[in-house]
């Protein structure tokens, strides 16, 4: 619904710089990309949209980010309740359902965290824009707030046609943006737990927080090291930079596939190897119930644990002294395989529709599905039917894994009878 | 071991047409490709190898094909015995182990089926080569036998630099080759069951045979229809042909990814969409315990059933009135995901080593892993380190899924204690 209202507003002539309506496909694409906090664009945000249009985009990003965090947190809480398990997101007594008071408490906490992180980020960015780039304070505040909101919500919309490339080697812009997008991307349940721990209210991490934090950190290391090494001497990306610049840009490019969508080098100039590595990282995405997309780091980690357990020949999956429920394993497999199917089908369709290479098309499809928003630059040249396909993919990627996970968890039911067992040969 | 002996023989100067040694990497690559019945080549089989070299290649193909069918059948039998289940490959009494007599019986039956199918195919091909192409009978017999053995073993080695393209529109060559490669690719357990059924010895299909036959048929339909439609008007492939020719070439190209490796059009000229579709089909491959490669059609079908069951919210996977054992489901997931990992890692490495596009490199990696042998034409231009990587990938793809499946099935053991359960949020 936010998408429809947003698309209608963006289709108004007043939303564009030129005063002419942007057209329905462009308005719909941009509104979907904003609400799903994806960040793919078919027109340059700064030059195409008027101030009114930009504020609409910003509002859609904020609404989309808050909405998805709240929805996913509440669904997670509902699943935990039904299973008779504790998931500490509110202080209420543990019951089988969620009361209105708890919904309010979750919304209040999501709002509070968003506001605090966005405000801090905006202050640092504004100061830097005003003092380091001779921007008038009014403009600096606007750009600081815009990029702070876009970063925390992992939206990836920037006010520059080349994303954050103008600030590629400026740590005062890079670091706050990275901190904001990581905070947003860890997910509300983990942030809530970190908050309680900092205030001394809990003694141990939940398994969810442990898996999220370690997997997230491991993927960041893989991304940063991988991209930096592969691109080190690419003359079109890291090549011309000094060692400090190479490290900073490499670090940013290793963090952003998780699934922020800002970039500080031209993605179209990356080595094919970097693109493929980024495809994997984007597909995995960030933490559950946050602003990040993808199949989520816990889903990926559980698959790894399932394989490890199976190869070791053990009958149940144990992680850090806890057993993983069998239905959660099946849910992880289902989500991952359906996601592979969706991306594969979209890639094949886009390949048939256009003349772009597999490199570029696969990157575009993964980026849309995982709500990343990075692109090799082909988005605007895809025909309208292909853009509508991406709209569907962004939407599916945004709400699909979350609602599927909840629906699967809530629908598990017992069979009334058992059939005789049989073992087809696999492999 | 066959690989080492084969490589040594092929490295002899007498093995080449020119009388100079082919070099170790080329000899090793060709021997591995022959024993693993892959069919990727770095040199043209006909013009580079002497008659002696060609016979060595043919011997390696036959040894590799028989070896893998026998090994996989015996492993399947052993697993079934340990689990206390019936798998009818021999007439012996059901015990927990496999006696020498049973090994002999399996080997005898594998030999018999191979000999019959290869002989029939060779007779048809020889007759056609002699009568339709004015070949001397000696040459026709040689080519008929070579291509018959190569087809039944799904090896994909041909005596023409362009594979079977010279016979693209000749049904008298296409049809026997397709029948031979499908027979070889269904797998020995299914062939054995079909044989018993034809002689009226069984009343019902085993679940393994049902799943293999239906999935195999469905994938053939997807491949044939997909490739034919996508390439219909491609001027470099099906475009110039008449309707009959289009259908025949499209059909052959839809069957060959299962994992024969012959081609009747230039793979390098296929549309990117056809290449990606072929990637999926090759990755899935053929039937278990046959001469085909890939993760196998049963593995793929089980994953689909697991997802279907999970989405329907049912606790156990039921197929055609039978329940699928939970450990078989986990084995299918493990094999598929490890295969994805192996192909992804090899693709990334090859991308970094060379300047080829993702299209071509992914195709090459999948083709090597699934022992298909189709190529866009880049194999010979890959540097030696990359060729050795492909050697490893062919070997892993040939023996990996089979031995992994058996090892996993035989190593399942009970845990002595259970830890408390916890549910990380996925999706
Ligand atoms: K994004
Ligand atoms: K082959």
């Amino acid at each position: 619904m936010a998408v429809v209202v947003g698309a209608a507003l963006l289709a108004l002539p007043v939303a564009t710089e030129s005063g002419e309506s942007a057209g329905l496909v462009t308005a719909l694409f941009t509104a979907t990309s904003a609400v799903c906090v994806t960040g793919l664009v078919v027109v340059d945000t700064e030059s195409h949209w008027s101030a009114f249009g930009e504020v609409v985009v910003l509002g859609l990003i904020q609404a989309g980010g808050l909405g998805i965090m709240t929805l996913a947190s509440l669904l997670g809480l509902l699943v935990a309740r039904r299973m008779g398990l504790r998931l500490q997101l509110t202080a209420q007594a543990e019951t089988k359902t969620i009361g209105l008071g708890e919904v309010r408490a979750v919304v209040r906490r999501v709002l509070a965290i968003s506001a605090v992180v966005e405000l801090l980020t905006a202050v640092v960015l504004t100061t830097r824009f005003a003092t380091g780039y001779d921007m008038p304070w009014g403009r600096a505040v606007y750009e600081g707030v815009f990029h702070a909101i876009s970063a925390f919500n992992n939206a990836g919309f920037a006010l520059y046609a080349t994303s954050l490339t103008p600030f590629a080697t400026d740590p005062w812009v890079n670091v706050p943006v990275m901190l904001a997008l990581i905070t947003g991307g860890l997910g509300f349940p983990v942030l809530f737990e970190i908050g309680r721990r900092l205030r001394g209210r809990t003694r141990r991490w939940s398994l969810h927080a442990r898996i999220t934090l370690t997997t997230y950190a491991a993927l960041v290391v893989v991304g940063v090291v991988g991209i930096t090494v592969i691109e080190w001497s690419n003359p079109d990306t890291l090549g011309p930079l000094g060692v400090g610049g190479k490290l900073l840009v490499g670090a940013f490019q290793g963090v952003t596939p998780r699934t922020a969508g800002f970039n500080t080098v031209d993605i179209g100039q990356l080595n094919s190897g970097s693109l493929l590595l980024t495809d994997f990282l984007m597909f995995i995405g960030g933490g559950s119930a946050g602003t990040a997309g993808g199949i989520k780091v816990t889903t990926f980690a559980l698959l790894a644990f399932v394989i490890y357990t199976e190869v070791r020949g053990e009958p149940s999956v144990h992680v850090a002294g806890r057993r993983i429920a069998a239905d959660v394993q099946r849910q992880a497999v289902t989500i991952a395989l359906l996601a592979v199917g969706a991306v594969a089908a979209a890639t094949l369709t886009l390949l048939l529709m256009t003349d772009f290479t597999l490199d570029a098309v696969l990157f575009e499809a993964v980026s849309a599905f995982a709500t990343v928003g990075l692109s090799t630059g082909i988005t605007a040249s895809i025909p309208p039917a292909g853009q509508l396909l991406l709209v569907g993919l962004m939407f599916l990627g945004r709400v699909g894994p979350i609602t599927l996970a909840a629906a699967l968890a809530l629908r598990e039911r017992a069979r009334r009878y058992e059939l005789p067992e049989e073992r087809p040969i696999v492999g």
Side-chain angles (χ1 to χ4, degrees), chain A:
Chain A
M1 216 202 50
V3 172
V4 175
V5 175
L9 288 175
L10 290 176
L12 295 176
V14 68
T16 65
E17 202 77 72
S18 66
E20 287 170 32
S21 170
L24 257 182
V25 173
T26 299
L28 179 64
F29 192 97
T30 307
T32 309
S33 184
V35 170
C36 298
V37 293
T38 308
L40 283 175
V41 290
V42 287
V43 293
D44 174 38
T45 307
E46 213 278 322
S47 63
H48 186 269
W49 302 112
S50 65
F52 170 77
E54 287 173 26
V55 171
V56 169
V57 168
L58 197 60
L60 292 175
I61 291 173
Q62 185 69 78
L66 289 174
I68 207 74
M69 275 209 278
T70 309
L71 173 70
S73 299
L74 290 175
L75 284 174
L77 197 57
L78 185 61
V79 170
R81 288 290 162 75
R82 286 285 172 82
M83 302 289 164
L85 296 165
R86 291 174 64 84
L87 176 66
Q88 297 172 325
L89 295 185
T90 65
Q92 315 297 118
E94 305 284 336
T95 58
K96 283 270 174 184
T97 55
I98 304 177
L100 194 60
E102 290 182 287
V103 174
R104 279 211 203 96
V106 168
V107 172
R108 209 170 49 231
R109 291 196 172 91
V110 168
L111 279 173
I113 290 181
S114 302
V116 169
V117 178
E118 288 173 2
L119 188 67
L120 286 175
T121 312
V123 167
V124 179
L125 288 179
T126 300
T127 312
R128 181 61 184 168
F129 288 148
T131 59
Y133 297 87
D134 288 329
M135 245 180 238
W137 275 94
R139 181 73 198 166
V141 169
Y142 177 63
E143 292 211 359
V145 170
F146 191 98
H147 291 107
I149 291 180
S150 188
F152 176 75
N153 290 295
N154 277 260
F157 277 89
L159 292 174
Y160 298 87
T162 55
S163 189
L164 297 183
T165 312
F167 312 104
T169 55
D170 183 347
W172 290 99
V173 173
N174 276 263
V175 173
V177 166
M178 281 198 266
L179 289 179
L181 67 89
I182 289 175
T183 314
L186 281 173
F188 178 65
V190 175
L191 295 181
F192 184 76
E193 221 173 293
I194 292 176
R196 281 177 69 86
R197 225 179 131 82
L198 290 179
R199 293 196 303 274
R201 302 260 180 91
T202 59
R203 291 131 303 179
R204 57 173 287 277
W205 292 108
S206 74
L207 186 58
H208 177 75
R210 268 174 196 243
I211 295 181
T212 301
L213 290 170
T214 49
T215 312
Y216 199 105
L219 290 174
V220 165
V221 171
V222 168
V224 171
V225 173
I227 303 285
T228 309
V229 169
I230 297 173
E231 298 294 330
W232 192 264
S233 48
N234 180 343
D236 296 317
T237 58
L238 302 193
L241 303 173
V243 171
K246 282 181 208 271
L247 293 177
L248 188 62
V249 174
F252 194 88
Q253 236 35 58
V255 169
T256 192
R258 175 129 312 82
T259 61
F262 287 123
N263 52 292
T264 59
V265 291
D266 183 355
I267 299 291
Q269 299 300 326
L270 289 178
N271 180 297
S272 299
S274 300
L275 288 181
L276 189 61
L277 179 61
T278 305
D279 285 336
F280 295 132
L281 294 172
M282 295 195 298
F283 184 77
I284 298 169
S288 295
T291 56
I295 61 168
K296 308 299 178 320
V297 292
T298 38
T299 310
F300 172 72
L302 283 186
L303 292 181
F305 287 127
V306 168
I307 292 177
Y308 176 77
T309 304
E310 184 61 22
V311 171
R312 303 227 328 161
E314 282 164 8
S316 54
V317 180
H318 288 190
V319 180
R322 284 288 179 280
R323 181 161 50 87
I324 306 291
D327 65 313
V328 177
Q329 299 171 33
R330 288 199 305 272
Q331 287 155 25
V333 170
T334 304
I335 289 169
L337 293 179
L338 286 179
V340 169
V343 170
T347 305
L348 188 55
T349 313
L350 284 175
L351 268 183
L352 296 176
M353 274 183 182
T354 65
D355 287 328
F356 297 114
T357 62
L358 178 60
D359 259 353
V361 169
L362 177 64
F363 196 91
E364 198 76 13
V366 175
S367 181
F369 177 81
T371 70
V372 183
L374 295 173
S375 172
T376 55
I378 66 172
T379 324
S381 326
I382 293 174
Q387 293 183 351
L388 290 177
L389 177 71
L390 287 179
V391 165
L393 198 59
M394 289 193 274
F395 197 72
L396 183 72
R398 179 71 282 183
V399 299
I402 294 165
T403 49
L404 183 62
L408 296 181
L410 295 175
R411 280 178 60 190
E412 295 284 339
R413 56 192 150 88
R415 246 191 211 267
R416 266 166 264 289
Y417 57 97
E418 281 297 346
L419 296 170
E421 196 172 87
E422 201 164 329
R423 304 172 52 90
I425 308 171
V426 296

